[in-house]
Amino acid sequence: MSEIKAETTHHHPLIISEPDVSDQQEKSHLKTQRLASLDIFRGLAVALMILVDHAGGDWPEISHAPWNGCNLADFVMPFFLFIVGVAIALALKRIPDRADAVKKVIFRTLKLLFWGILLQGGFSHAPDELTYGVDVRMIRLCGVLQRIALSYLLVSLVEIFTKDVQDKDQSVGRFSIFRLYCWHWLMAACVLVVYLALLYGTYVPDWQFTIINKDSADYGKVFNVTCGVRAKLNPPCNAVGYIDRKVLGINHMYHHPAWRRSKACTQDSPFEGPLRKDAPSWCHAPFEPEGLLSSVSSILSTIIGVHFGHVIIHTKGHLARLKQWVTMGFALLIFGLTLHFTNGEHGSGKFSTTCVCLFIYSKVILFQWQPFL
């Protein structure tokens, strides 16, 4: 409270004596301070998600690519993971107590998992018939929120337990920021090695599945898929689907994969349509787009977002930040184009194309608006 003092002069004016609250105001400002550009980018990502979800059926060019390639819808997931990474760098910087930070991260992870399974796991089986409930035999175990939860948990824990360097609020050089956060990039390298080793080293045997959709004309029919190969990235014989079938179970995977819009499956390609009579057996099979192995690779997008957040924290001034982002974005662009033209990024991950485009686009977005309100 401010103290009111009376002056002992003839006019007796009232003088308001304000207490010294600069430290409290600074702390309060830090708690309420938001990154305006990140909020704008988050809103644009949500708008893009709504657009591709509702208009993708009429304009398949903006919907998810059936398999190889990168359409507009394929940017949405990397955008959200990037946003999560930037938020991790900024939010955890404000929590000085390590145990409290771990508690908050675990609690938020559990909330994301709960809502992901509830919303994407099939809580409403047939909303037109007003039948609700969870069919544990068919519930979808993976999804968008589950993937975000995994990336958020792992990257946040690395951020928390290597937090000492984050307290150095200083300007850093173009490459010294990589040294400050070397543990993050070591994690990124390990993630990439594990992902590529499993993707190209896992042996995929022949497999079969049964149509369990009672509304399908093929209900109860058993389909066989011939594989017996290693390091194949085509729809039926890739390691991503094999690991999901073995760990999750084929009944707990997504039953309307985008590959059904491919030319091999339907004559209406790239639109959705009835499957061809001579369609390969795998066209009838489920596939999990947010599966286990592909979610491992998505951790890289979150780590990149954390790096962008670190640049904001340690680098003062728009121009200096832009130089950092341009350097990294250009390097990743060259890396992505190299993978693309050497057929190194084929398969369900689409790592290079989506992530590289994410960097270039997010760099522009983050520079166009004033970073702090």
Side-chain angles (χ1 to χ4, degrees):
M1 296 291 294
S2 57
E3 181 184 354
I4 302 178
K5 296 180 179 179
E7 187 75 23
T8 58
T9 61
H10 177 71
H11 299 288
H12 296 288
L14 293 178
I15 299 176
I16 308 290
S17 177
E18 292 291 342
D20 187 10
V21 293
S22 59
D23 292 340
Q24 297 178 1
Q25 289 177 347
E26 184 177 355
K27 291 179 181 179
S28 176
H29 179 62
L30 285 175
K31 290 182 179 179
T32 58
Q33 196 177 46
R34 295 188 64 87
L35 186 62
S37 56
L38 188 64
D39 289 336
I40 294 171
F41 189 29
R42 184 183 292 110
L44 291 174
V46 172
L48 178 62
M49 178 185 67
I50 295 173
L51 172 66
V52 298
D53 283 349
H54 289 79
D58 297 326
W59 299 328
E61 294 80 6
I62 69 172
S63 185
H64 288 288
W67 192 247
N68 292 331
C70 181
N71 292 348
L72 188 61
D74 298 306
F75 288 92
V76 175
M77 191 72 232
F79 279 175
F80 279 121
L81 293 171
F82 175 86
I83 291 168
V84 169
V86 177
I88 287 173
L90 300 179
L92 294 182
K93 183 177 182 292
R94 303 171 185 172
I95 306 177
D97 184 68
R98 183 172 293 175
D100 186 39
V102 172
K103 188 185 303 182
K104 290 179 180 294
V105 165
I106 292 176
F107 182 64
R108 180 164 292 182
T109 300
L110 293 176
K111 287 196 297 184
L112 287 169
L113 290 173
F114 171 78
W115 286 112
I117 293 177
L118 187 67
L119 297 175
Q120 290 190 285
F123 180 78
S124 172
H125 293 269
D128 296 335
E129 301 176 6
L130 297 180
T131 58
Y132 298 89
V134 176
D135 186 350
V136 295
R137 299 170 302 174
M138 297 289 297
I139 187 171
R140 184 184 174 195
L141 298 177
C142 293
V144 172
L145 292 180
Q146 294 93 313
R147 170 173 286 184
I148 293 176
L150 173 66
S151 300
Y152 171 75
L153 175 64
L154 296 180
V155 177
S156 294
L157 291 179
V158 174
E159 182 78 359
I160 291 170
F161 289 102
T162 60
K163 189 175 175 57
D164 294 339
V165 293
Q166 298 186 33
D167 295 331
K168 300 176 182 178
D169 191 12
Q170 59 184 5
S171 297
V172 294
R174 178 167 297 184
F175 300 106
S176 58
I177 194 169
F178 290 94
R179 293 194 299 270
L180 281 175
Y181 298 96
C182 59
W183 286 106
H184 296 74
W185 296 108
L186 179 60
M187 179 186 180
C190 292
V191 165
L192 187 59
V193 169
V194 169
Y195 174 73
L196 293 177
L198 291 175
L199 185 67
Y200 288 97
T202 302
Y203 175 79
V204 181
D206 298 344
W207 55 285
Q208 64 179 21
F209 62 97
T210 304
I211 302 296
I212 57 177
N213 182 9
K214 295 182 179 180
D215 297 329
S216 174
D218 297 315
Y219 173 68
K221 186 176 180 180
V222 177
F223 287 91
N224 295 294
V225 182
T226 303
C227 289
V229 294
R230 196 187 308 271
K232 288 291 185 180
L233 303 181
N234 56 4
C237 300
N238 64 85
V240 174
Y242 172 69
I243 292 175
D244 289 338
R245 290 190 297 271
K246 296 297 290 185
V247 178
L248 303 176
I250 196 168
N251 292 343
H252 299 287
M253 296 166 59
Y254 187 54
H255 287 267
H256 304 283
W259 70 28
R260 294 193 178 188
R261 293 188 288 105
S262 61
K263 293 181 180 180
C265 296
T266 177
Q267 293 179 342
D268 297 329
S269 178
F271 294 91
E272 293 185 10
L275 297 179
R276 304 165 57 109
K277 294 182 178 180
D278 58 344
S281 57
W282 55 265
C283 292
H284 300 265
F287 180 80
E288 184 53 69
E290 284 89 30
L292 299 175
L293 185 55
S294 55
S295 292
V296 169
S297 67
S298 68
I299 297 173
L300 293 169
S301 298
T302 310
I303 293 176
I304 293 168
V306 171
H307 173 78
F308 272 59
H310 291 158
V311 172
I312 293 173
I313 293 171
H314 291 285
T315 308
K316 308 304 180 185
H318 292 325
L319 184 60
R321 291 168 179 165
L322 185 60
K323 288 179 180 178
Q324 288 269 3
W325 294 333
V326 165
T327 301
M328 189 172 185
F330 184 75
L332 286 166
L333 178 63
I334 298 300
F335 178 63
L337 290 174
T338 302
L339 290 178
H340 176 73
F341 287 109
T342 58
N343 295 324
E345 52 87 26
H346 283 179
S348 59
K350 307 187 189 81
F351 164 72
S352 62
T353 309
T354 54
C355 286
V356 170
C357 292
L358 164 66
F359 284 99
I360 301 301
Y361 183 74
S362 59
K363 174 263 299 179
V364 175
I365 292 295
L366 287 170
F367 184 66
Q368 283 181 341
W369 287 278
Q370 182 180 357
F372 289 102
L373 289 176

